[in-house]
Amino acid sequence: MRDNGAVTSATRQSETPASSQLSTSLEQGDAPFVPPRLIATDLDGTLLRDDKSVSPRTVAALAAAEEAGIEVFFVTGRPARWMDVVADHVHGHGLAICGNGAAVVDLHGGPGAHRFVKVRELTPEHALDAVRLIRDAAPGTVCAVEQTYGFYQEPEYPKLHMETPDHLAPADELLAPEGVAVDQPILKILAYHPTLDPDAFLTVARLAVGARVTITRSSPSALLEISGPGVSKASTLALCCAERGISHEEVVAFGDMPNDVEMLTWAGRSYAMGNAHPAAVAAATGRTAPNNEDGVAVVIERILGQGL
């Protein structure tokens, strides 16, 4: 199993005590809270503490939610091979949404033996088009390719992920019809810029590429995550909920970074962490304590305690 210790969490905002951080639309006089049937939570910077652990309090809260009949879905930008940190906490269904919505994965097989239930791939043509347009708009961009089971990168791409790539080559070669990166479905492209501000890089890339692909970010560095058109945490979560007859009003979501914005907006009730990026705060209906203070558990305990 490759080391995932370098997976990054949110850009830090000012943190306040948990007692004053938690806010909900119930307290603000909005419509009554619909009893939840599914909890969707991001991992890094949200459910996980900064040391990448799941606290005993959070483990207990997740188990209590499942015991109460509320499904828990982990919805993350992580690839399936980095899901060992929560594999022991998936309970009955064993499913997680990985790669910012690019894959639904059954984690029951354990590290290295995950089964891909659903794949929403990025075509090599869309990937290469996006890479070229972003490079034109932001010279100096270097890229990596995330597949279902493989990871490839350009030689200049920095060692951000504490893992050894399967192959080193320029993106044009990796993504060519005969390239090594097209032998499996591509889940996303990673685009890194060494000097640009992360949010500025995101804006530049989105303007350059338009709707050809979906571009977001979850790292404090200038690292963009590029998925197929229309692929996001929210759109894949919506598909999973539709298969279960669950409406968006019955979903409670948690997140902390721009790649969570669509999910936080889509869910009937959503919470940005106390350490969240401003875009996540603006998208959520409420706010909870920071990830290091078990903000997800704080809300789950409240939901279960009130019988909502």
Side-chain angles (χ1 to χ4, degrees):
M1 184 64 189
R2 293 163 173 160
D3 186 274
N4 59 24
V7 180
T8 51
S9 60
T11 302
R12 290 291 164 196
Q13 307 298 317
S14 58
E15 298 186 356
T16 57
S19 59
S20 61
Q21 191 68 260
L22 178 62
S23 65
T24 70
S25 294
L26 278 178
E27 295 167 345
Q28 298 162 9
D30 286 356
F33 188 51
V34 176
R37 295 178 57 195
L38 186 142
I39 290 169
T41 179
D42 173 51
L43 294 182
D44 296 285
T46 300
L47 189 83
L48 302 180
R49 293 192 166 192
D50 286 349
D51 64 2
K52 307 306 174 187
S53 67
V54 185
S55 74
R57 180 181 181 182
T58 297
V59 169
L62 296 176
E66 294 270 6
E67 181 67 23
I70 304 172
E71 283 197 72
V72 176
F73 260 73
F74 300 126
V75 187
T76 178
R78 285 181 174 232
R81 66 182 180 276
W82 287 357
M83 293 300 288
D84 57 310
V85 292
V86 292
D88 292 338
H89 311 300
V90 292
H91 300 284
H93 60 79
L95 300 181
I97 296 173
C98 298
N100 291 327
V104 180
V105 182
D106 185 345
L107 301 180
H108 279 141
H114 303 121
R115 180 174 66 92
F116 284 85
V117 177
K118 186 189 302 290
V119 174
R120 304 180 69 193
E121 65 183 285
L122 172 64
T123 67
E125 295 78 16
H126 278 127
L128 194 53
D129 192 26
V131 168
R132 290 170 174 169
L133 288 169
I134 292 172
R135 279 191 168 142
D136 287 344
T141 299
V142 290
C143 299
V145 182
E146 186 75 67
Q147 293 180 313
T148 45
Y149 293 102
F151 180 75
Y152 304 98
Q153 68 179 58
E154 296 187 299
E156 300 83 5
Y157 187 86
K159 193 174 180 61
L160 297 174
H161 312 290
M162 298 299 289
E163 63 181 335
T164 302
D166 298 300
H167 191 80
L168 291 173
D172 286 1
E173 293 182 18
L174 292 172
L175 297 168
E178 68 282 1
V180 296
V182 301
D183 63 335
Q184 299 173 28
I186 297 170
L187 299 185
K188 63 181 179 180
I189 298 294
L190 300 167
Y192 174 81
H193 199 281
T195 60
L196 286 178
D197 170 81
D199 285 325
F201 189 28
L202 178 60
T203 298
V204 166
R206 284 176 169 173
L207 289 174
V209 175
R212 293 176 179 84
V213 294
T214 300
I215 306 178
T216 190
R217 57 171 289 256
S218 61
S219 169
S221 63
L223 179 66
L224 305 183
E225 301 163 63
I226 303 165
S227 305
V231 175
S232 69
K233 290 185 176 186
S235 61
T236 301
L237 179 61
L239 291 174
C240 292
C241 286
E243 292 169 356
R244 291 158 174 75
I246 297 174
S247 69
H248 73 96
E249 291 93 349
E250 297 172 302
V251 176
V252 179
F254 299 88
D256 72 308
M257 284 297 275
N259 65 330
D260 297 311
V261 164
E262 293 86 355
M263 179 174 73
L264 295 173
T265 302
W266 177 82
R269 194 71 46 173
S270 59
Y271 296 87
M273 309 306 292
N275 49 285
H277 185 283
V281 174
T285 63
R287 198 166 186 194
T288 187
N291 64 313
N292 284 332
E293 298 175 25
D294 303 327
V296 173
V298 169
V299 175
I300 293 176
E301 290 165 358
R302 179 171 180 170
I303 290 171
L304 298 178
Q306 292 184 359
L308 294 173

